[in-house]
Amino acid sequence: MWWWNNSDVSDKRTEVWWWFRSGGEIVELCSTLTTLAHDTNEKFLQCLSVHSESTFISKVTCTQNNSSYISILNSLKQNLLYKPPEYGRPQVIVTPFDVSQIQAVLKCAQKHDLLVKVRSGGHDHEGLSYLSEVPFVMIDMINFSQIDVDAEAKTAWVGAGATLGELYYKISEKSKNLAFPAGICPTVAVGGHLSGGGFGYIMRKYGLGADQVIDAHLVDVNGRILDRKSMGEDLFWAIRGGGAASFGVLVAWKVNLVDVPSIVTVFTVQKTLEQNASQIHHKWQQIAYDLPKELVISAGLQSQKGKRALVATFSAVYLGGVDRLLPLMQERFPELGLVKEDCQEMSWVESTVYHFAFEIRASKNLELLLDRVNYTKYYLKAKSDYVREPIPVEVLEGMYEILYEEGGHNIYVISFPYGGRLNEIPETEIAFPHRTNKFHMMYFAAWSDGEESQKVLELDRKLYEYMTPYVTKNPRATYFNCKDIEIGRNNYGNNYTSVKEASIWGKKYFKNNFYRLVDVKTKVDPGNFFRNEQSIPSRIYRGIKKKHH
């Protein structure tokens, strides 16, 4: 259960194991673990002082003994669900300002056998960037948030710690006719978002955010700073959709920006069951995939608290004016009954505010895109599926029965249509493979009362199980950025996870691209230094403990 590799603490490790097996007092066990952690921390920090500037330690490192530790740890953590015991938190948090400081962390962590995890924005659904069963150092990339937009070249360099909102805002400062095809939530950081794929309301026109990545800066296990040319096309392929955290520390992306008209049209239309919500949703499933690329309509389903009532919400962005949208909707989706009063014309960047700020949709305040901390945080759990064929109305009605159960109103079933440009790109072009599905469906649970957690989690799992016959199979695919530890995980700590074992979850995220990701991992990180509960395994690594002399 507990692993420290330093040979000079082997006696203490034995003592810990003895207390664990013999049922020793938990206070003594924790005391021993704290001593071990303290010894390792001191050696790690001493190593950093040797391999970096003298001012490095005090300015960018924080241990659990620091008064600011909890505030730094929780500042970007978005999910209230995970409140780990002390051993689950990072031993040291490092917030580097310079790549050389990242290099020093990697060197010293390897020397003292500390796991390294990287947090760019804190939106990972399972907390894998800031939790672990073994001692670890967290590199928080918040200071790597610089964004350089070149409107003439239609490109931008974006630091891993920059948020989508900051990127959208910076683009709008340079041009009202440029955009970037990524996610809805402006507080998501680009480091993890693009490494998993990244989709949003203009993806059917321009593909994923990862499809528009043209270069990257990454620090590898040997401390080398790599760009696309020096890392090679295999590694560059892997970090676009395969999760960069398995291969190194992602520092920045270079992306193509895309053209958008001066005016786009948005709408949000809600329908109740009495207004034929089920039939309208079923029709959406049949046509949303085949609509013109310029139009993306999402479809959400949510029950109302304390009632056997359900609301279907249809939200959209159309790259054009309302006068062109209305005839299109009348021809292709008349069942929705869209009228001009439902629509708003605005700039593309204003549409990103509209779709995030649900409760203040009249707002066009772009400053909201720059606020990464002053939003209400919730307990969160997400599970997701891909769907190839329309789900029958009677199956939707069975889904409602689960949502009607106590606590079910906390679950929002949200679906995004694929097709368009997404389907034109081969599944092997980047590591993200889910190109040919009709739509992506997420069972997103968010609640504010921690006492509801068990019930909401049970219902989310129940809903996921209920949908099994109606979604993709062999494997039952899911989206890597919608991380779900319940579909499978690697073994604990340094224990070896075989490719076969990891494929249980790996093929669900990456289909057959998983095996190419393993090949890349084996080449660039054969010792499996960059690892987490759902990281790509190396074919070579066998979990053998290093001996220090």
Side-chain angles (χ1 to χ4, degrees):
M1 181 176 180
W2 298 98
W3 290 94
W4 278 266
N5 298 328
N6 295 11
S7 58
D8 58 354
V9 297
S10 58
D11 292 340
K12 292 178 181 178
R13 184 197 309 132
T14 302
E15 182 183 348
V16 171
W17 181 245
W18 183 86
W19 273 107
F20 177 73
R21 290 293 301 271
S22 64
E25 292 294 330
I26 190 67
V27 64
E28 298 214 28
L29 171 61
C30 291
S31 176
T32 305
L33 297 179
T34 301
T35 300
L36 279 168
H38 178 75
D39 291 346
T40 304
N41 291 353
E42 288 300 312
K43 292 176 181 178
F44 172 75
L45 294 174
Q46 289 171 10
C47 180
L48 287 183
S49 68
V50 172
H51 293 285
S52 58
E53 298 177 4
S54 58
T55 57
F56 173 50
I57 299 297
S58 60
K59 288 186 176 181
V60 301
T61 62
C62 181
T63 69
Q64 293 185 6
N65 294 326
N66 292 120
S67 59
S68 58
Y69 175 86
I70 293 297
S71 62
I72 294 174
L73 177 64
N74 292 337
S75 61
L76 299 181
K77 187 171 73 171
Q78 299 299 321
N79 194 348
L80 298 179
L81 185 60
Y82 299 107
K83 296 181 177 180
E86 290 301 318
Y87 68 80
R89 296 169 177 164
Q91 302 297 311
V92 182
I93 300 173
V94 183
T95 54
F97 287 88
D98 186 83
V99 173
S100 65
Q101 296 165 351
I102 297 173
Q103 293 169 312
V105 171
L106 298 183
K107 184 179 185 69
C108 294
Q110 290 179 71
K111 181 177 180 179
H112 295 289
D113 299 303
L114 280 167
L115 185 68
V116 169
K117 294 197 171 191
V118 182
R119 181 172 76 177
S120 57
H123 274 265
D124 50 335
H125 289 157
E126 299 288 9
L128 302 188
S129 66
Y130 53 83
L131 300 175
S132 180
E133 300 93 351
V134 297
F136 74 107
V137 175
M138 183 180 78
I139 300 176
D140 193 322
M141 298 296 289
I142 188 171
N143 295 321
F144 283 78
S145 57
Q146 182 174 348
I147 300 171
D148 295 316
V149 176
D150 186 336
E152 184 176 349
K154 297 182 182 180
T155 62
W157 272 105
V158 191
T163 65
L164 294 177
E166 291 166 346
L167 175 58
Y168 298 160
Y169 187 93
K170 290 290 186 181
I171 294 171
S172 72
E173 285 186 320
K174 294 295 184 73
S175 173
K176 301 302 181 185
N177 295 108
L178 291 175
F180 187 70
I184 300 170
C185 182
T187 57
V188 169
V190 301
H193 186 64
L194 300 189
S195 79
F199 67 77
Y201 272 104
I202 57 174
M203 63 181 176
R204 300 188 64 251
K205 177 70 172 180
Y206 292 112
L208 304 171
D211 293 328
Q212 300 297 338
V213 171
I214 55 176
D215 204 346
H217 289 163
L218 178 109
V219 183
D220 74 358
V221 68
N222 298 310
R224 297 175 300 177
I225 305 170
L226 306 176
D227 61 6
R228 179 175 183 172
K229 182 177 180 181
S230 57
M231 75 175 66
E233 288 302 304
D234 283 343
L235 180 52
F236 186 61
W237 172 88
I239 62 176
R240 293 174 295 155
S246 292
F247 305 97
V249 180
L250 193 286
V251 175
W253 299 108
K254 185 179 183 181
V255 299
N256 277 325
L257 306 180
V258 301
D259 297 308
V260 290
S262 299
I263 293 296
V264 306
T265 304
V266 300
F267 68 76
T268 299
V269 174
Q270 294 187 321
K271 298 291 184 180
T272 64
L273 293 180
E274 292 73 23
Q275 296 169 316
N276 294 320
S278 298
Q279 290 74 19
I280 295 171
H281 192 285
H282 189 254
K283 179 63 180 290
W284 172 89
Q285 295 180 56
Q286 299 173 61
I287 58 96
Y289 174 89
D290 290 320
L291 290 171
K293 296 178 183 178
E294 292 76 16
L295 177 60
V296 170
I297 307 174
S298 67
L301 297 169
Q302 189 171 28
S303 65
Q304 295 180 281
K305 185 176 182 179
K307 302 178 182 179
R308 286 183 58 83
L310 184 128
V311 174
T313 302
F314 300 89
S315 298
V317 170
Y318 174 65
L319 297 177
V322 66
D323 290 342
R324 292 175 56 194
L325 174 62
L326 288 175
L328 170 62
M329 290 294 291
Q330 183 58 40
E331 177 187 356
R332 302 293 298 275
F333 198 9
E335 292 84 355
L336 188 61
L338 187 72
V339 295
K340 191 171 184 177
E341 290 72 23
D342 296 323
C343 304
Q344 295 184 52
E345 292 185 331
M346 58 184 64
S347 67
W348 170 79
V349 71
E350 288 171 341
S351 78
T352 67
V353 177
Y354 171 90
H355 277 293
F356 174 66
F358 296 109
E359 70 281 4
I360 48 173
R361 277 195 162 132
S363 173
K364 295 184 180 180
N365 179 13
L366 300 186
E367 300 298 320
L368 292 171
L369 297 174
L370 301 179
D371 189 346
R372 65 189 300 164
V373 295
N374 293 321
Y375 290 104
T376 303
K377 295 183 180 182
Y378 295 94
Y379 297 84
L380 305 172
K381 175 63 183 179
K383 303 178 81 68
S384 76
D385 273 315
Y386 284 100
V387 182
R388 291 184 177 276
E389 299 296 335
I391 299 168
V393 170
E394 58 269 24
V395 174
L396 292 177
E397 291 172 345
M399 178 192 296
Y400 306 160
E401 292 300 319
I402 298 174
L403 296 177
Y404 291 153
E405 293 186 38
E406 182 182 355
H409 66 280
N410 294 303
I411 301 174
Y412 189 55
V413 182
I414 177 72
S415 301
F416 273 85
Y418 277 26
R421 178 61 182 154
L422 275 170
N423 195 29
E424 296 170 355
I425 300 172
E427 288 193 344
T428 56
E429 183 71 17
I430 63 174
F432 176 92
H434 309 291
R435 304 283 184 176
T436 58
N437 302 290
K438 290 292 191 294
F439 58 94
H440 172 257
M441 182 166 59
M442 181 166 65
Y443 320 103
F444 184 73
W447 62 103
S448 57
D449 184 354
E451 294 184 0
E452 291 188 275
S453 295
Q454 183 175 353
K455 182 60 177 177
V456 177
L457 291 171
E458 289 174 354
L459 285 179
D460 210 38
R461 296 180 190 120
K462 183 176 181 180
L463 187 58
Y464 182 75
E465 182 64 27
Y466 170 79
M467 292 304 298
T468 302
Y470 313 105
V471 298
T472 53
K473 301 174 180 64
N474 302 316
R476 182 176 184 173
T478 189
Y479 177 37
F480 184 64
N481 276 355
C482 188
K483 285 190 179 66
D484 180 8
I485 205 72
E486 294 174 352
I487 68 171
R489 52 156 295 153
N490 295 331
N491 295 323
Y492 288 87
N494 290 335
N495 293 341
Y496 172 61
T497 302
S498 69
V499 173
K500 182 177 180 180
E501 289 174 305
S503 69
I504 294 172
W505 59 263
K507 291 190 70 175
K508 295 174 183 177
Y509 286 137
F510 307 116
K511 300 175 68 172
N512 285 332
N513 285 351
F514 171 73
Y515 296 108
R516 183 177 173 187
L517 287 167
V518 171
D519 291 339
V520 176
K521 173 73 170 183
T522 304
K523 180 179 178 181
V524 305
D525 183 20
N528 199 35
F529 174 70
F530 293 110
R531 64 188 183 276
N532 59 52
E533 290 78 358
Q534 287 186 335
S535 59
I536 303 297
S538 166
R539 294 185 190 277
I540 296 174
Y541 178 72
R542 292 293 184 272
I544 300 172
K545 310 300 179 290
K546 293 186 291 184
K547 294 182 179 180
H548 299 281
H549 301 284

